[in-house]
Every structure is written in C-alpha cells, then in structure tokens.
C-alpha cells in the first residue's frame, strides 16, 4: 500500500489552533528538537526564536528536564489531586512561593494559561461573596489585553482582534489604559462593583509586545487596595525570567493578590499552570459549610510528571540565573537591530529582558492587513521560526540561545521585514 506521508495526511485530519486553513495550507513537520533548534522531516533545521509559543524556557530537550520526566514517569505517572498529594507538587509549590513576591501563600494548579486565569477570576469573585460583599460583578482589564481562549479568559481579553464574534457569550469587563488616571476614574465610576483588575505586568504580549512602566503597576497596586479590588497579575508569558527578572512584578516591587503562571512553568515542555493566592483569598473558602468549597479542578491538576519537570526547571533557573541569561540574549539581538531600526520601514524597536519587538510600518497604513500577510509569508521562507503579531515581529528565544544564534535571529528579522515591505509597496499603475 502506497500511503501518503504523515506530513501530507495532517491536512486531512488535523485542525490547527489560530490557523486559517483556507489560506495557510502548509505546516512545518517537526520530528525532533534540541536546544534552540527544531529539526524538520526533510532534515532542515529551524531556529526556534519564539520558544514554541513563548513556552520553552531553557531550550528543547534540556537533559535535566528530560531525566526528571523519565524518572517521574516510572515512579508515579498520575494521580488525582483531590484528596491525594505527591512530592513533586509540594516541592514545586514551595519553590514557586519562595521565588514569588512576598505575601502569596497558596498554589492552585491547573493545566494552561487560560485555566490559571479562570481560577484567578473565580477565586477573586467568590472571595468577595464569601466575605459578604455582594454585587462585585465587574472585572477591569487593559485595552489590548490577552488572557487566553476559555470563556472567562476571553471575557477579560480585548475582544479585538480575536473574540468580537463571541461578544454575546462574554461577561462585563471595563477597559482601562495603563495609566493611574484611567484606572482611578474607572474604579470610581464603578465603585463597590469591581471584583478585580487583571493585568499582564509590564508587557502585553499578544497585543504586539506593548509595554508600560513599572510605575503603573505600583499605582495599580495602591488603587486596587484602596478600592478593595483584587489585583490579578497574569504572568503566563512574563514569568520565569522573560522580562529580565524572575517575575515582571518584581520590577515594580509589588505583590498581586493572585498570580497566574503557565507557559515556562514546566520549562515549557508539558502543560502545567498555577495560580498563586494570598492567605486572605484561601481562607475565605474555609468553612464548616461544604457549599463554600472552591469547586474548581481539572482532571490533570498537578500532574506529577509535569510538576517534576517544573521542579527541574526551577533548579535550572536558580543555578543558571535564567533571568540574567535571557536579558543578555535580548540585549544581543537588540544590538544587532539598532542600526536597522533607523530604516523608514521600522516604526519602533523595543525590548524588555529577553523579549525584542520590531514594529514595521507600511508605506501606506491602508496596507496594514497586507503587511501582516506579507510578514507571515516572508517568515515561512526563513530558517528562523518567527510568528508576527499584526505588524510586529518579535523574538523571545530560549535561554540556551548563543550569541551566534542571536545574530541569526536578528538577521532573519531584518530579512523578513525588508521582504515584506518590498512585496507590499504600492505598484505604480500607468
Ligand atoms: C499565552 C497566554 C495565556 C494563555 O495561556 P494558554 O496556555 O495558551 O492557555 C494567558 N495569558 C497570557 C498573558 C498569555 O500570554
């Protein structure tokens, strides 16, 4: 029997995330990965400049993480986390609380960034109820925010550009800008009705790596406390050194009431998430009445193999000082781009820690949509894996990335930008 290869059969059976299958028919068939590199079915090597959707923290197939996964799989593969516990979950919770801002004391595990956000939203809302404060039904979030694809997480995410068609399903959220006046005015306009303010601290990833200063977080912390509103920091993308400090909140010296973690938590290799909470929030659920239990849990909550990977990842982070390594990598890529940033097609070059963003402007802003497509097309031809977000090209590589690889990434970003801009330049018609 002459069967087509699995690469070709993909299109018959797989439905990919965030993919318009009518336009984007090609998928990269990946067979192996090591360090910062992916190996394709045809033997071609591609540099993973975006850490496989911002997840892979230290590099693919880090020996310590591989070995932790192997050992844990042989010992205890999975057990429910309601009424049972295990060492990897306890050790990882201790490790997280030690690294996290002072004042957080309990760890609630789940499986993805979106679920860590759902946990935070439900815990914030219910804590008010348990404390006898009814009517706090509104959440605040930033314009352009992104918090995940489940219904609660979509509600707090900006409906543009992804969730407009689902608006009827989503709950009420008031949008604010990242400045104290905007937040204060919105809190005052809805006094007594706000349950929580959720923020991607310092950098809004999916918005196109849009940044705000630590001073805003400081003021947000103060304002939330004054108004009895829980501050939820969504560090799903920024956690574990991406911004140059272990957590982005560290740069503002603030402690949120709830802290959402995922992506890099397991080293980025297994689905694992955590929501860290204050003792106040945890205690609000304690009661002789079973009805006030926190009724939330996923089948694979605190999966032992994922937690073991998380423990190994935290050890590496501490041994290698991953935040500093990522910061140096970001600086290296930025340095290679500084001159290019003077080109007229570059609207902005910005960096926070290991995240470098190059914002491209089209000659005619009406070509904006075309620019996105042109960037995507140019990325496909590259041997560096990049995924533009609108008109923003960014790099967020793993901490094993070498200076030579940084140069490859920067060169690829330049090439992709030049090609894309050239391809959409208005054609002169006679
Ligand atoms: C990616 C991301 C999420 C969603 O995480 P998933 O694991 O994809 O569900 C939530 N918040 C932020 C800030 C993210 O970058």
């Amino acid at each position: 029997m002459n069967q087509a290869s699995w690469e070709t059969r993909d299109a018959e059976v797989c439905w990919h995330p965030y993919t318009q299958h009518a336009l984007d028919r090609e998928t990269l068939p990946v067979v192996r990965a090591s360090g910062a590199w992916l190996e394709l079915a045809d033997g071609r090597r591609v540099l993973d400049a975006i850490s496989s959707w911002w997840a892979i923290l230290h590099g693919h197939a880090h020996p310590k993480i591989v070995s932790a996964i192997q050992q844990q799989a042989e010992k205890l593969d999975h057990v429910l986390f309601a009424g049972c516990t295990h060492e990897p979950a306890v050790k990882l919770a201790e490790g997280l609380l030690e690294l996290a801002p002072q004042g957080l004391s309990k760890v609630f595990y789940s499986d993805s960034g979106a679920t860590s956000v759902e946990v935070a939203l439900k815990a914030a809302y219910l804590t008010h109820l348990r404390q006898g404060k009814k009517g706090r039904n509104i959440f605040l979030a930033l314009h352009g925010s992104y918090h995940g694809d489940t219904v609660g997480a979509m509600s707090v995410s900006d409906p543009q550009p992804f969730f407009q068609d689902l608006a009827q399903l989503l709950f009420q959220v008031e949008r604010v800008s990242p400045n104290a006046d905007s937040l204060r005015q919105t809190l005052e306009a809805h006094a007594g009705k706000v349950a929580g303010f959720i923020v991607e601290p310092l950098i809004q990833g999916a918005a196109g790596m849009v940044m705000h200063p630590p001073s805003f977080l400081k003021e947000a912390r103060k304002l939330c406390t004054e108004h009895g509103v829980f501050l939820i920091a969504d560090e799903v993308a920024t956690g574990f050194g991406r911004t140059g400090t272990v957590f982005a909140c560290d740069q503002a010296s603030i402690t949120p009431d709830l802290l959402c973690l995922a992506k890099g938590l397991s080293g980025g290799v297994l689905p694992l998430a955590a929501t860290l909470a204050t003792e106040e929030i945890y205690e609000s659920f304690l009661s002789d009445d079973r009805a006030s239990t926190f009724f939330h849990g996923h089948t694979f909550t605190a999966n032992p193999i994922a937690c073991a990977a998380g423990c190994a990842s935290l050890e590496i982070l501490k041994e290698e000082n991953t935040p500093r390594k990522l910061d140096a990598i970001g600086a290296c890529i930025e340095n290679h781009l500084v001159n290019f940033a003077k080109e007229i097609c570059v609207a902005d070059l910005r960096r926070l820690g290991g995240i470098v963003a190059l914002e491209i402007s089209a000659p005619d802003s009406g070509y904006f949509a075309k620019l996105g497509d042109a960037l995507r097309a140019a990325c496909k031809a590259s041997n560096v894996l990049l995924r533009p977000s609108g008109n923003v090209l960014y790099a967020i590589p793993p901490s094993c990335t070498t200076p030579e690889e940084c140069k490859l990434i920067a060169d690829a970003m330049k090439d992709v930008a030049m090609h894309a801009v050239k391809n959409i330049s208005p054609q002169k018609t006679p």
Side-chain angles (χ1 to χ4, degrees), residues 27-58:
T27 45
L28 284 186
V30 183
V31 290
R32 206 172 276 107
S34 161
W37 292 88
L38 306 174
E39 186 187 320
L40 307 187
D42 62 5
R44 192 156 72 90
R45 276 159 42 94
V46 175
L47 183 54
D48 189 356
I50 53 168
S51 296
S52 289
W53 256 356
W54 323 352
I56 294 290
L57 188 59
H58 311 289

Side-chain angles (χ1 to χ4, degrees), residues 53-54 111-117 146-149 200 203 205-206 234-238 262-263:
W53 256 356
W54 323 352
D111 326 306
S112 72
T115 58
S116 76
V117 168
Y146 175 80
H147 299 289
D149 292 349
E200 295 162 83
I203 180 161
D234 177 353
E235 295 230 24
V236 168
T238 51
K263 291 195 169 118

Side-chain angles (χ1 to χ4, degrees), residues 231-420:
L231 177 63
I232 304 169
D234 177 353
E235 295 230 24
V236 168
T238 51
F240 307 104
R242 290 293 184 189
T243 67
T245 47
V246 178
F247 297 110
C249 285
D250 298 340
Q251 295 184 37
S253 308
I254 58 151
T255 301
D257 299 287
L258 291 148
L259 174 65
C260 303
L261 302 172
K263 291 195 169 118
L265 172 56
S266 63
V269 303
L270 286 170
L272 181 67
T275 307
L276 277 56
T278 59
E279 200 62 16
E280 180 202 355
I281 289 172
Y282 172 76
E283 280 183 356
S284 75
F285 290 89
L286 300 180
S287 165
D288 294 337
D289 182 4
R290 284 196 181 278
S292 64
T293 302
F294 188 40
F295 292 113
H296 190 108
H298 301 275
T299 307
F300 293 109
T301 297
N303 172 265
I305 302 173
C307 288
C311 290
S313 176
L314 283 196
E315 272 173 34
I316 300 165
L317 180 139
K318 285 193 268 187
E319 275 168 27
E320 297 189 354
N321 198 344
T322 302
R324 204 177 57 200
K325 279 179 84 174
L326 288 170
D327 190 57
I329 287 164
C332 184
I333 296 171
E334 183 187 35
N335 279 339
H336 287 298
L337 289 172
V338 167
N339 279 330
F340 181 71
K342 295 170 191 152
E343 299 280 334
I344 57 166
C345 70
V346 178
D348 191 28
L349 169 65
R350 52 184 178 266
R351 172 176 84 91
L352 182 66
I355 308 171
V356 184
L358 192 65
E359 192 170 321
I360 314 299
S361 56
D364 172 344
S365 61
Y367 282 82
F368 173 75
K370 276 191 188 166
L371 177 63
D373 280 345
L375 286 171
R376 221 168 290 133
C379 286
K380 264 188 203 155
S382 175
N383 63 348
V384 173
L385 185 65
L386 296 165
R387 232 188 114 85
S389 166
N391 61 331
V392 176
L393 263 180
Y394 61 83
I396 172 169
S399 73
C400 63
T401 307
T402 63
E404 295 73 34
E405 290 162 350
C406 287
K407 181 163 190 308
L408 288 176
I409 292 171
D411 287 346
M413 289 170 82
K414 290 184 219 174
D415 282 354
V416 163
M418 295 295 279
H419 267 95

